[in-house]
């Protein structure tokens, strides 16, 4: 059983949504955010990345940065940039990227289900990143970014979505990256009940993206619960704001690797070592592998196809069968001496949205020695790993399009 609750979101005025909405805090750096928000005081980057309002010598973890985020949000609310809905609602959020469309229900899910595993994880969180978002939520008194959840597609929910999109949307705008964002308010009691009943029949929800946001929201909820002598269980801090999409609409792109050096190996020895575990085919004009257990390698201005000599058996651990695990176990670790990819500074991860040309650019710049293009991890693999309570290797999935921040805000005192 999965509980999804409507809530009274703060949302931007219809005419301002395109100016307010911004990328998630963790997909752009400080300089990119500052440039993107330049000349736009309404950009929600002033809330989710408020370090842009300080000189570079002020750390993003400086207490003043979190206070500034709270100040900026309150300023926008006071100026009626954001308005709160009077009754609890669900929201339908559609994103269109080229010919790809995905429709997600925006609502709140219980912290308890996250802690008890009904909302299933597939990644570990980093303490410093979790601490940052915890301080942000606590200081701002709001969840300002959506947690991206998925579920096994359900016809009843699909039916609600089909009916809702027949209505005029509240928001419909396109961002500079060419992504179209459309949102509807679902405030009818009958539709709200149908959504809750349909999700209630599902065994689990899965975190696709936003593990740190989810963990931080859970931490804040636990802290406030312990401090509240009149805790009831239905307070806003007991819930996590999320956009919940069916698994068959999600688009996962490749998450590629670039390594700075050859670990002291000559070119010939490097290729010989790779040949112990992989067949090397060249030229490889396609650059990106068509299926699993194969990799594109860009080295010395040439693309090569690496095909695993011995495919993993069905009885092998599900995590071990993933391409990201195979590349680490068979090549990055033993040949290039890349240890823990979470901490090794010799490796760079490049999301597929930047294209394979970015891999070529990095290697041709001679700042990196070799690049590897991977076949995208599937949603089914992600769910299977999470169902077994296991953790995927770091940087296994890159979801596109990214959910915009600033369209929906969950204040922790919304009631």
């Amino acid at each position: 059983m999965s509980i999804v609750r409507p809530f009274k979101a703060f949302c931007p005025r219809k005419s301002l949504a395109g100016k307010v909405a911004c990328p998630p805090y963790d997909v752009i750096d400080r300089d990119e955010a500052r440039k993107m928000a330049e000349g736009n005081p309404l950009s929600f980057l002033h809330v989710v990345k408020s370090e842009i309002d300080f000189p570079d010598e002020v750390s993003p973890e400086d207490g003043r940065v979190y206070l500034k985020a709270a100040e900026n949000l309150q300023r926008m609310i006071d100026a009626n940039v954001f308005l709160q809905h009077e009754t609890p609602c669900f929201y339908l959020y559609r994103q269109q990227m080229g010919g790809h469309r995905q429709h997600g229900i925006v609502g709140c899910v219980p912290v308890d289900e996250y802690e008890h595993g009904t909302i299933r994880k597939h990644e570990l969180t980093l303490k410093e990143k979790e601490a940052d978002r915890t301080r942000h939520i606590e200081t701002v008194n709001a969840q300002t970014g959506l947690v991206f959840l998925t579920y096994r597609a359900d016809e009843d929910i699909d039916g609600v979505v089909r009916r809702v999109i027949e209505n005029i949307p509240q928001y419909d705008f396109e961002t500079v990256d060419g992504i179209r964002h459309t949102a509807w308010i679902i405030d009818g009691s009958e539709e709200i009940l149908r959504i809750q009943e349909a999700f209630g029949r599902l065994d689990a929800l899965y975190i696709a993206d936003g593990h740190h946001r989810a963990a931080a929201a859970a931490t804040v909820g636990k802290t406030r619960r312990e401090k509240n002598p009149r805790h009831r269980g239905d307070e806003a801090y007991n819930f996590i704001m999320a956009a919940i999409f069916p698994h068959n609409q999600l688009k996962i792109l490749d998450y590629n690797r670039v390594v700075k050096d050859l670990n002291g190996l000559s070119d010939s020895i490097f290729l010989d070592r790779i040949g112990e575990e992989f067949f090397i085919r060249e030229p490889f004009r396609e650059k990106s592998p068509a299926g699993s257990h194969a990799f594109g390698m860009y080295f010395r201005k040439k693309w090569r196809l690496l095909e695993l000599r011995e495919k993993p058996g069905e009885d092998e651990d599900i995590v071990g069968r993933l391409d990201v695990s195979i590349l680490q176990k068979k090549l990055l670790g033993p040949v290039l001496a890349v240890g823990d990819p979470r901490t090794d500074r010799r490796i760079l991860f490049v999301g597929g949205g930047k294209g394979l040309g970015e891999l070529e650019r990095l290697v041709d710049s001679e700042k990196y020695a070799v690049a590897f293009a991977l076949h995208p991890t599937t949603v089914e693999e992600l769910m299977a790993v999470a169902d077994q309570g296991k953790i995927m290797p770091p940087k296994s999935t890159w979801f596109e399009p990214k959910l915009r921040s600033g369209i929906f805000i969950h204040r922790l005192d919304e009631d």
Side-chain angles (χ1 to χ4, degrees), residues 14-30:
K14 188 171 185 177
S15 61
L16 301 177
K19 292 183 177 180
V20 170
C22 73
Y25 77 98
D26 54 351
V27 301
I28 55 175
D29 62 28
R30 188 176 193 161

Side-chain angles (χ1 to χ4, degrees), residues 4-269:
V4 182
R5 186 177 91 152
F7 71 113
K8 295 188 289 187
F10 280 80
C11 297
R13 285 184 175 277
K14 188 171 185 177
S15 61
L16 301 177
K19 292 183 177 180
V20 170
C22 73
Y25 77 98
D26 54 351
V27 301
I28 55 175
D29 62 28
R30 188 176 193 161
D31 289 339
E32 291 171 323
R34 183 179 286 125
K35 183 176 181 180
M36 191 174 293
E38 186 177 4
N40 181 11
L42 299 184
S43 172
F44 206 61
L45 287 169
H46 292 288
V47 175
V48 296
K49 285 192 81 70
S50 51
E51 61 266 31
I52 66 175
D53 294 333
F54 293 88
D56 286 345
E57 56 266 25
V58 176
S59 167
E61 288 77 40
D62 189 300
R64 291 172 293 174
V65 171
Y66 300 100
L67 291 172
K68 186 65 174 178
E71 175 190 320
N72 288 340
L73 176 57
Q74 192 59 51
R75 170 178 54 81
M76 292 184 190
I77 292 174
D78 292 343
N80 290 327
V81 174
F82 290 100
L83 301 175
Q84 185 180 26
H85 293 123
E86 295 181 357
T87 60
C89 305
F90 284 122
Y91 308 86
L92 179 62
Y93 180 18
R94 180 173 74 194
Q95 295 178 294
Q96 182 170 343
M97 182 176 68
H100 172 78
R101 284 186 175 187
Q102 56 189 38
H103 299 82
I105 300 294
V106 176
C108 287
V109 296
V111 166
D112 286 347
E113 294 204 351
Y114 171 82
E115 293 176 338
H116 298 155
T118 307
I119 297 172
R120 296 178 181 165
K121 319 171 190 66
H122 69 268
E123 285 185 6
L124 296 173
T125 57
L126 298 174
K127 288 184 179 180
E128 60 271 21
K129 289 187 177 181
E130 186 178 329
D132 164 60
R133 284 302 97 180
T134 298
R135 288 184 68 187
H136 190 276
I137 293 172
E138 191 65 79
T139 306
V140 177
N141 193 37
Q143 296 163 9
T144 56
L146 291 162
V147 176
F148 188 172
L149 300 182
T150 188
Y151 61 94
R152 289 187 171 86
D154 178 89
E155 178 54 36
D156 290 337
I157 301 174
D158 289 346
V160 172
V161 169
R162 285 193 293 269
R163 289 190 292 274
V164 170
I165 62 176
E166 292 177 355
N167 300 317
I168 297 173
Q170 175 70 8
Y171 304 119
D172 191 1
F173 61 93
E174 186 172 306
T175 46
V176 294
D177 54 3
I179 309 300
R180 187 175 177 184
H181 304 265
T182 312
W184 292 259
I185 301 171
I186 305 174
D187 54 7
S189 58
E190 183 177 339
E191 295 288 29
I192 286 175
L193 181 60
R194 285 180 178 174
I195 290 170
Q196 290 183 295
E197 289 179 342
F199 278 111
R201 291 189 288 271
L202 300 180
D203 293 333
L205 301 175
Y206 301 82
I207 298 179
D209 202 6
H211 283 79
H212 291 95
R213 289 187 283 277
T219 298
V220 171
K222 181 179 179 181
T223 300
R224 294 200 174 193
R225 183 184 313 168
E226 293 171 349
K227 291 182 177 180
N228 185 1
R230 298 181 180 179
H231 171 78
R232 303 183 309 270
D234 62 348
E235 297 91 347
Y237 60 72
N238 294 291
F239 296 85
I240 303 169
M241 181 176 68
I244 317 169
F245 294 81
H247 83 284
N248 59 0
Q249 291 184 17
L250 299 191
K251 188 177 184 66
I252 301 181
L253 302 184
D254 42 311
Y255 213 156
N256 303 311
R257 276 80 169 132
V258 187
V259 181
K260 284 190 173 182
D261 58 70
L262 299 184
N263 187 33
L265 303 176
S266 66
D267 290 4
S268 59
I269 293 178

Side-chain angles (χ1 to χ4, degrees), residues 204-401:
L205 301 175
Y206 301 82
I207 298 179
D209 202 6
H211 283 79
H212 291 95
R213 289 187 283 277
T219 298
V220 171
K222 181 179 179 181
T223 300
R224 294 200 174 193
R225 183 184 313 168
E226 293 171 349
K227 291 182 177 180
N228 185 1
R230 298 181 180 179
H231 171 78
R232 303 183 309 270
D234 62 348
E235 297 91 347
Y237 60 72
N238 294 291
F239 296 85
I240 303 169
M241 181 176 68
I244 317 169
F245 294 81
H247 83 284
N248 59 0
Q249 291 184 17
L250 299 191
K251 188 177 184 66
I252 301 181
L253 302 184
D254 42 311
Y255 213 156
N256 303 311
R257 276 80 169 132
V258 187
V259 181
K260 284 190 173 182
D261 58 70
L262 299 184
N263 187 33
L265 303 176
S266 66
D267 290 4
S268 59
I269 293 178
F270 170 62
L271 293 172
D272 287 344
R273 290 286 304 279
I274 291 175
E276 294 171 6
E277 296 285 356
F278 299 89
F279 295 109
I280 302 176
R281 320 283 191 193
E282 56 178 290
F284 180 42
R285 296 183 178 85
E286 293 81 2
K287 303 181 182 180
S288 181
S292 59
H293 306 151
F295 307 88
M297 182 177 74
Y298 186 67
F299 177 61
R300 299 294 186 243
K301 298 187 179 296
K302 182 187 298 185
W303 281 96
R304 297 168 172 84
L305 175 65
L306 310 182
E307 294 181 315
L308 194 63
R309 288 181 178 272
E310 186 175 346
K311 302 293 175 66
E314 290 299 319
D315 57 342
E316 187 167 336
D317 174 78
I318 187 169
V319 176
R321 295 202 302 267
L322 297 174
D323 281 356
V324 287
S325 298
I326 290 170
L327 184 66
Q328 178 63 35
K329 182 180 178 181
K330 302 285 189 180
L331 199 161
L332 297 181
V335 179
L336 294 177
V338 174
D340 184 348
R342 290 184 178 87
T343 58
D344 196 316
R345 296 185 177 181
R346 294 171 53 239
I347 189 169
L348 175 70
F349 301 92
V350 181
K354 294 186 176 181
L356 297 178
E358 177 67 3
L359 303 185
E360 296 174 355
R361 186 189 70 80
L362 289 168
V363 174
D364 290 346
S365 73
E366 298 186 356
K367 293 180 180 179
Y368 293 86
V370 60
F372 300 93
L374 284 73
H375 187 69
T377 304
T378 67
V379 180
E380 289 79 8
E381 288 173 327
L382 180 155
M383 297 170 108
V385 169
D387 283 338
Q388 293 187 20
K390 296 186 176 181
I391 299 298
M392 298 184 75
K395 310 297 184 183
S396 297
T397 55
W398 181 272
F399 287 91
E400 285 282 356

